[in-house]
Amino acid sequence: MVHSYLPVPPSCVDPRLKCRCAVRHTSFQNAMLAPPPIISVSNLSKTYGSGFKALKGINLDIKRGEIFALLGPNGAGKTTLISIICGIANLSEGRVTVGGHDINSDYRAARSLIGLVPQELHTDSFETVWATVSFSRGLFGKPKNPAHIEKVLKDLSLWDKKDSKIITLSGGMKRRVMIAKALSHEPQILFLDEPTAGVDVELRKGMWDVVRGLQASGVTIILTTHYIQEAEEMADRIGVINKGEIILVEDKAGLMQKLGKKHLKLYLQGKVDALPASLAAYNLELSDDGRAIIYDYDTKGERTGITSLLGDLRNAGIHISDLDTTQSSLEDIFVSLVRAP
Amino acid sequence: MNYRAIRAIYLFEMARTWRTLLQSIVSPVVSTSLYFVVFGAAIGSRITEVEGVSYGTFIVPGLVMLSVLTQSIANASFGIYFPKFVGTIYEILSAPVSYIEIVIGYVGAAATKSIILGLIIMATAALFVPLHIQHPLWMLAFLVLTAVTFSLFGFIIGIWADGFEKLQMIPMLIVTPLTFLGGSFYSVNMLPSGWRTITLLNPVVYLISGFRWSFYEIADVSVALSLGMTLGFLAICMVLVWWIFRTGYRLKN
């Protein structure tokens, strides 16, 4: 993978040579225009003591300010990848930089940029919400700032619980306490590992609003999720990881367009018992009640086959009363990707 | 140095101490008082002076050490084991803190608690027997050194343990017997020569001997040897902790 960390040619430092530079080093300037990735993962591998290879040569750049969704089935390596970037697990091979800082040789600078919300609800039980969130801020070396903690707690609807012991809170509230802890030290990057697992629909929507607000304030967000809907609704880019390998990284819109299939549903004027043999080439599906035909087509293809299908239907004496088309969801795309051999 | 992180960990651990004040302070004081009643008053009344001091007075340094050793190990091992057990260790590992800062925070808090406890037990002892301390500074030095060393040892046990049973195993099976056999309740010189030689292999003998010397100038072994052995044990613990963090042993996958 090519990174944007290109050295500035020494001659560019000299203003007298500025014009010449502009001509000679156009490619440098173009490269410099692209902001460096906030997280850069190169050739990252992780082998556990048992010999299990959890990650195999991962290359991934996260852009500053984006919401990146990492999708993958259970055991694909999502949490391992996050754990390594955040310092909870050691890497076996490769290199990771956060904000340009190596996570091993310059771990203080790298980690101070990151807020982590792990998948499991790991909380102290007998501390108050205020104490535990303040503790996190101190742990990250930041001076006390009650106004910031207050804002975080209010944004997460936890303000009225600030003096409650964590053990008395519901699961959804505990999840928000963990987000508050991660935000206590004003991180530039927020990792949300399955943030809305076990959270009810209303609260989930509230959490999405918080995430969008964070992105608006310049925070880069990396989330893993099982809810494809969440990625579809929230993410700017999507990465799919399976069996320790990144199999795809794409803009969400591009991904939907590139791999998206459309379903055309044709509602019939009358009931049809079976489809005529002349239509076999279209791989049509007849609805159970015999009153609709479903046709899948690929939007990437040069020809969708719709025109000829409609002509052949008319020739077969099948008349249509209505139609609609639907785009396949990210979930369909995801399932087809991870099932591919 | 991330001083704010050290402070955060230290205060977090001390807050746990204040929350559990009854178990932390009151119960060791009660059990020590029982020792005084049983050994000092009941049995001690039948024993003549030991090396020039009354038996009740003689056992005070040993009793203080008994509590300081066991409490240092218990506090520090629980302090680091519990975040591992409930999973909150993720935050410590992902924070911009060095292992030295983590150790100072946890071990510092555990040692502080044991030192406070040691001083409270001494004050309790003074209610039962006349107490005089010949070398108060040396007494404090031995107290602090022992509390720090054994808190460090406890920290290692807390990281090594992967279950509550193991957390209890080392203190129950090794430390408590060694303390009882280390001259808490008797002078090593009272033993037959064969047993005396075996007893000198017990590291706790040196701690108690040095500590008792700071009270009454009575020692089983020389003070320099006591100090040297304590510092040696401290060094071993520090090397082990360094190795744990370098390899991520039982902390990081």
Side-chain angles (χ1 to χ4, degrees):
Chain A
M1 177 164 286
V2 178
H3 298 297
S4 310
Y5 288 116
L6 292 176
V8 179
S11 54
C12 277
V13 177
D14 188 341
R16 288 167 299 177
L17 301 173
K18 201 175 172 184
C19 292
R20 234 159 21 111
C21 276
V23 178
R24 272 194 187 168
H25 300 297
T26 319
S27 59
F28 265 114
Q29 290 195 331
N30 286 342
M32 295 304 286
L33 285 176
I38 196 158
I39 295 176
S40 178
V41 179
S42 343
N43 298 317
L44 175 67
S45 292
K46 172 68 184 177
T47 310
Y48 284 106
S50 60
F52 173 68
K53 275 190 95 107
L55 298 176
K56 302 165 191 165
I58 300 276
N59 286 300
L60 180 66
D61 280 357
I62 305 292
K63 296 175 191 169
R64 191 176 288 271
E66 72 174 337
I67 297 183
F68 185 89
L70 192 60
L71 299 179
N74 285 331
K78 301 186 294 285
T79 300
T80 303
L81 178 59
I82 289 180
S83 297
I84 290 173
I85 297 172
C86 296
I88 296 171
N90 292 322
L91 53 80
S92 305
E93 281 171 56
R95 184 165 189 255
V96 179
T97 61
V98 177
H101 309 286
D102 187 282
I103 57 159
N104 283 328
S105 60
D106 197 6
Y107 67 92
R108 277 188 205 270
R111 290 184 199 168
S112 58
L113 299 176
I114 299 176
L116 167 66
V117 184
Q119 192 171 337
E120 305 289 333
L121 282 175
H122 300 308
T123 51
D124 295 300
S125 298
F126 306 107
E127 289 287 329
T128 64
V129 171
W130 180 270
T132 196
V133 176
S134 302
F135 166 75
S136 300
R137 187 174 170 88
L139 195 60
F140 276 72
K142 287 281 169 80
K144 281 185 180 173
N145 185 349
H148 174 71
I149 307 278
E150 183 179 336
K151 183 181 180 305
V152 168
L153 292 181
K154 282 183 173 164
D155 286 350
L156 290 161
S157 313
L158 284 169
W159 181 243
D160 57 334
K161 296 284 178 188
K162 71 182 166 64
D163 297 321
S164 303
K165 286 187 176 177
I166 299 167
I167 198 168
T168 63
L169 303 181
S170 68
M173 283 180 194
K174 283 181 185 160
R175 175 80 57 192
R176 282 180 284 153
V177 169
M178 294 186 69
I179 297 177
K181 280 167 80 71
L183 294 175
S184 67
H185 63 279
E186 301 158 67
Q188 290 183 25
I189 305 162
L190 183 66
F191 278 95
L192 296 164
D193 198 357
E194 304 278 348
T196 49
V199 171
D200 65 45
V201 179
E202 198 179 336
L203 210 54
R204 198 182 303 166
K205 293 244 162 70
M207 223 173 259
W208 290 351
D209 290 340
V210 171
V211 169
R212 283 199 193 94
L214 285 169
Q215 187 191 28
S217 68
V219 177
T220 306
I221 292 142
I222 296 110
L223 61 92
T224 71
T225 179
H226 275 115
Y227 299 109
I228 312 279
Q229 187 198 0
E230 197 160 74
E232 202 165 341
E233 199 156 319
M234 301 291 299
D236 300 315
R237 280 200 310 152
I238 288 164
V240 178
I241 185 168
N242 191 32
K243 294 176 183 162
E245 288 174 288
I246 296 268
I247 52 178
L248 177 133
V249 176
E250 189 92 41
D251 281 345
K252 182 181 66 187
L255 180 66
M256 302 288 288
Q257 201 175 13
K258 192 166 152 189
L259 294 170
K261 284 189 175 161
K262 277 195 140 182
H263 309 277
L264 169 65
K265 193 168 186 182
L266 301 164
Y267 297 93
L268 310 179
Q269 284 183 359
K271 193 179 169 201
V272 174
D273 293 328
L275 289 167
S278 61
L279 299 173
Y282 293 101
N283 282 328
L284 298 176
E285 196 185 322
L286 187 64
S287 66
D288 291 339
D289 62 2
R291 292 184 178 276
I293 292 171
I294 295 141
Y295 172 56
D296 287 343
Y297 63 97
D298 195 342
T299 52
K300 286 187 302 180
E302 281 183 21
R303 295 166 69 95
T304 59
I306 294 173
T307 316
S308 58
L309 171 66
L310 293 178
D312 288 346
L313 281 171
R314 194 177 57 237
N315 293 340
I318 299 174
H319 298 285
I320 297 158
S321 65
D322 196 3
L323 59 84
D324 65 34
T325 64
T326 48
Q327 179 97 36
S328 61
S329 70
L330 198 54
E331 184 153 4
D332 302 329
I333 299 171
F334 175 71
V335 168
S336 71
L337 271 172
V338 296
R339 278 195 188 152
Chain B
M1 209 51 145
N2 186 348
Y3 292 106
R4 290 199 183 97
I6 298 174
R7 186 170 174 273
I9 296 173
Y10 182 85
L11 292 180
F12 181 89
E13 282 298 294
M14 290 311 287
R16 192 165 59 81
T17 305
W18 307 133
R19 258 203 321 267
T20 55
L21 202 62
L22 200 67
Q23 300 99 298
S24 303
I25 306 284
V26 177
S27 59
V29 169
V30 169
S31 60
T32 309
S33 303
L34 288 174
Y35 279 124
F36 275 115
V37 172
V38 175
F39 289 100
I43 298 174
S45 61
R46 308 282 175 99
I47 298 175
T48 51
E49 289 186 342
V50 181
E51 312 215 4
V53 292
S54 73
Y55 184 69
T57 310
F58 178 83
I59 63 171
V60 172
L63 282 179
V64 173
M65 273 291 164
L66 182 67
S67 286
V68 169
L69 287 184
T70 48
Q71 288 298 312
S72 294
I73 292 175
N75 296 339
S77 60
F78 191 79
I80 190 69
Y81 176 75
F82 200 65
K84 269 176 47 183
F85 178 70
V86 297
T88 50
I89 190 82
Y90 84 87
E91 200 176 19
I92 304 283
L93 294 176
S94 65
V97 289
S98 71
Y99 77 86
I100 294 174
E101 290 151 5
I102 297 175
V103 171
I104 294 175
Y106 278 105
V107 170
T112 305
K113 190 170 145 185
S114 322
I115 291 165
I116 293 172
L117 187 69
L119 295 173
I120 291 176
I121 290 173
M122 271 185 244
T124 313
L127 299 175
F128 291 89
V129 290
L131 202 62
H132 53 103
I133 303 167
Q134 299 276 1
H135 305 284
L137 285 180
W138 275 110
M139 185 278 288
L140 270 179
F142 271 108
L143 185 65
V144 171
L145 199 59
T146 309
V148 169
T149 305
F150 279 81
S151 295
L152 211 50
F153 185 53
F155 186 83
I156 294 165
I157 293 172
I159 285 178
W160 165 77
D162 50 13
F164 279 102
E165 297 81 9
K166 279 194 179 174
L167 206 59
Q168 299 293 337
M169 205 168 77
I170 301 273
M172 292 272 285
L173 289 181
I174 300 175
V175 179
T176 308
L178 285 183
T179 316
F180 272 89
L181 300 173
S184 296
F185 300 106
Y186 55 88
S187 163
V188 176
N189 294 327
M190 292 158 79
L191 296 170
S193 64
W195 282 108
R196 189 169 182 274
T197 313
I198 294 170
T199 303
L200 289 177
L201 297 173
N202 178 356
V204 179
V205 167
Y206 301 90
L207 297 172
I208 293 177
S209 171
F211 195 55
R212 187 174 286 138
W213 171 85
S214 69
F215 279 75
Y216 315 126
E217 291 189 328
I218 305 168
D220 295 328
V221 291
S222 80
V223 182
L225 189 59
S226 290
L227 196 62
M229 291 294 273
T230 315
L231 289 172
F233 192 56
L234 177 66
I236 292 170
C237 290
M238 284 170 118
V239 169
L240 271 173
V241 167
W242 169 81
W243 175 83
I244 283 169
F245 279 93
R246 197 179 65 86
T247 58
Y249 174 75
R250 297 218 168 152
L251 279 177
K252 285 187 179 189
N253 281 317

